[in-house]
Amino acid sequence: MKQFPPSELLTSLPKQFFASLVKKVGEYISQGYDVINLGQGNPDQPTPSHIVARLKEAAVNPINHKYSPFQGHRYLKQAAADFYFREYGVTLDPDKEVAILFGGKAGLVEIPQCLLNPGDTILVPDPGYPDYLSGVALAKAEIVTMPLREQNNFLPDYKELEEDVLSKAKLMFLNYPNNPTGATATREFFDKTIKLANDQDICVVHDFAYGAIGFDGEKPLSFLQVEGAKEVGIEIYTLSKTFNMAGWRVGFAVGNESVISAIELLQDHMYVSLFGAVQEAAAEALTGPQECVKELNELYERRRNVLIGGLHSIGWNVTAPKGSFFAWLKVPEGKSSEEFANILLEQAHIMVAPGIGFGEFGEGYVRVGLLSSEQRLAEVVERISRLGIFS
Ligand code: PLP
């Protein structure tokens, strides 16, 4: 059979760091080992039943069997605006300040292509969600990383960025509650970000994927809650985590009108819009009962407490995440993140993600997903304790 080589653009895309780890886990499972997989970020709970019920109802309505309108249904944009007003007190114009997305990832990959020309500079956090790099590669943009250091609560220190980098930068990605570190942002940090963005003409994209997951009574801050945010950027919200809808592929971008219209223009050329029944169910999620969100947050907090409390009790002095469903754990002295992840897999049959997979500044940590039951997390602690590393 003829082989058609992929384009240069395709071959320039970043390699999947975690593919080899996932393969190795598969091998252990096929050999019959009881592997506890905390290495990935897939919510383990089902979508709340009232949202599924709405999808079922909407799926049999012939109106939804036709093409959805370009840019999505207005009722979903209105639902997103209502959600932001109810949750954050932020007022949005549904016609100009909301774009519907096929999940947050789609928006994050589209944005560099919407705003950057080849060679333009983009600032991305390190460690960070690896998919940011996919959009950057497609736009042929230049990456400058912003180190997230523990001593700075995993917030970038803009003073570290050189003046010529700042003057060239056109776009910046931020993400709080943060994947992988579990850190949250402060109002002062967002204030500083907005000032920098204004001074240097940088568009800020705040990825708010874990917006609903905050611990110790702290509700994570939306970037748009901070004065001036809309002038300089947008926020990407997804239903994947808040409502356990990762498989549904629905999210939205909110904020700066010019960026929203650029996203919609690109999407007009690439897609029509989401299945109407998914849009109806998404609107139900955003405007219907919210008790499920509170319960989910409490579930993750209980899991966090079991894991972090347990690890402290066996002598592993780790820091508790403030939000997201990840814990970012410092590996024991003398081991790289990959070596330590391998030890956990080979000797305790626990899969965690080595920090180096999230960037150079992720070295020295592993990321653990709070995506298994409290009982399984207690077992994780017990299995690690048996290794005798921390005693
Ligand atoms: N942003 C971050 C930081 C994530 O961890 C994820 C998913 O894991 C996403 C965005 C994308 O989520 P989705 O495409 O399901 O909306």
Side-chain angles (χ1 to χ4, degrees):
M1 204 200 296
K2 238 174 162 359
Q3 288 295 311
F4 298 99
S7 65
E8 282 169 23
L9 185 63
L10 210 59
T11 43
S12 75
L13 292 177
K15 303 285 166 280
Q16 234 308 352
F17 177 85
F18 296 105
S20 65
L21 191 68
V22 172
K23 189 161 163 254
K24 201 162 164 190
V25 170
E27 285 161 13
Y28 272 83
I29 293 172
S30 65
Q31 287 168 39
Y33 289 109
D34 172 25
V35 176
I36 305 180
N37 183 349
L38 306 177
Q40 284 153 320
N42 211 341
D44 62 310
Q45 295 296 298
T47 307
S49 56
H50 67 281
I51 303 171
V52 179
R54 184 62 185 267
L55 175 80
K56 284 187 185 162
E57 214 179 277
V60 295
N61 185 347
I63 195 93
N64 287 325
H65 303 167
K66 301 179 175 223
Y67 289 115
S68 297
F70 275 93
Q71 306 179 2
H73 282 287
R74 182 148 193 309
Y75 64 75
L76 180 52
K77 293 186 170 194
Q78 183 67 56
D82 292 347
F83 175 82
Y84 257 70
F85 187 70
R86 190 192 68 224
E87 294 297 321
Y88 305 111
V90 170
T91 307
L92 293 166
D93 178 344
D95 296 316
K96 295 188 176 144
E97 295 177 331
V98 181
I100 296 168
L101 305 171
F102 286 79
K105 176 182 159 105
L108 292 161
V109 173
E110 285 161 10
I111 288 160
Q113 298 172 79
C114 290
L115 299 184
L116 300 182
N117 294 311
D120 281 348
T121 298
I122 173 165
L123 301 168
V124 295
D126 177 355
Y129 176 56
D131 287 358
Y132 298 143
L133 307 182
S134 312
V136 174
L138 288 171
K140 299 188 177 177
E142 296 292 328
I143 294 173
V144 173
T145 55
M146 302 184 289
L148 306 187
R149 303 175 199 275
E150 186 153 6
Q151 69 262 29
N152 202 26
N153 299 317
F154 298 111
L155 299 167
D157 179 358
Y158 297 133
K159 290 199 290 297
E160 274 188 59
L161 300 171
E162 313 225 334
E163 194 49 50
D164 70 315
V165 164
L166 284 173
S167 62
K168 276 196 271 172
K170 287 201 173 162
L171 196 58
M172 173 195 286
F173 279 145
L174 292 173
N175 162 229
Y176 294 97
N178 183 254
N179 174 9
T181 67
T184 51
T186 58
R187 195 172 276 275
E188 299 73 64
F189 169 71
F190 280 153
D191 277 337
K192 263 191 227 165
T193 304
I194 292 165
K195 179 165 185 333
L196 180 85
N198 269 316
D199 291 349
Q200 305 284 353
D201 285 328
I202 298 172
C203 173
V204 178
V205 176
H206 182 237
D207 176 3
F208 203 32
Y210 299 93
I213 313 170
F215 305 135
D216 308 315
E218 295 240 353
K219 186 179 167 86
L221 200 61
S222 158
F223 181 58
L224 297 189
Q225 277 176 289
V226 182
E227 208 189 316
K230 238 195 247 180
E231 306 299 312
V232 296
I234 62 162
E235 187 154 82
I236 304 282
Y237 200 92
T238 172
L239 279 69
S240 294
K241 326 284 170 170
T242 310
F243 303 102
N244 293 318
M245 291 172 72
W248 299 52
R249 312 311 305 136
V250 53
F252 51 90
V254 283
N256 187 281
E257 215 179 294
S258 65
V259 182
I260 296 297
S261 77
I263 294 172
E264 298 216 301
L265 179 60
L266 181 68
Q267 294 196 148
D268 282 349
H269 287 270
M270 296 187 73
Y271 325 105
V272 181
S273 178
L274 287 75
F275 178 31
V278 168
Q279 298 194 46
E280 278 194 39
E284 172 68 27
L286 295 168
T287 57
Q290 299 295 304
E291 194 55 26
C292 52
V293 181
K294 187 168 167 272
E295 284 166 9
L296 185 67
N297 196 36
E298 287 165 359
L299 175 82
Y300 287 133
E301 184 154 355
R302 283 198 304 276
R303 289 177 176 181
R304 175 198 73 156
N305 294 346
V306 166
L307 180 75
I308 301 295
L311 293 176
H312 284 167
S313 76
I314 65 165
W316 190 359
N317 189 18
V318 293
T319 308
K322 292 187 172 158
S324 85
F325 51 50
F326 297 112
W328 186 238
L329 311 179
K330 212 171 201 148
V331 305
E333 239 7 73
K335 299 261 181 298
S336 74
S337 60
E338 247 179 319
E339 283 165 350
F340 189 63
N342 276 324
I343 291 174
L344 291 184
L345 181 59
E346 287 159 13
Q347 298 178 22
H349 306 134
I350 298 165
M351 182 197 176
V352 299
I356 187 72
F358 301 94
E360 186 188 334
F361 287 85
E363 187 48 273
Y365 296 86
V366 289
R367 191 193 72 176
V368 178
L370 302 169
L371 299 167
S372 234
S373 67
E374 287 166 66
Q375 194 191 359
R376 289 291 265 176
L377 291 169
E379 190 177 332
V380 164
V381 173
E382 209 175 294
R383 288 189 193 183
I384 295 176
S385 164
R386 269 189 251 127
L387 297 179
I389 300 175
F390 301 99
S391 47

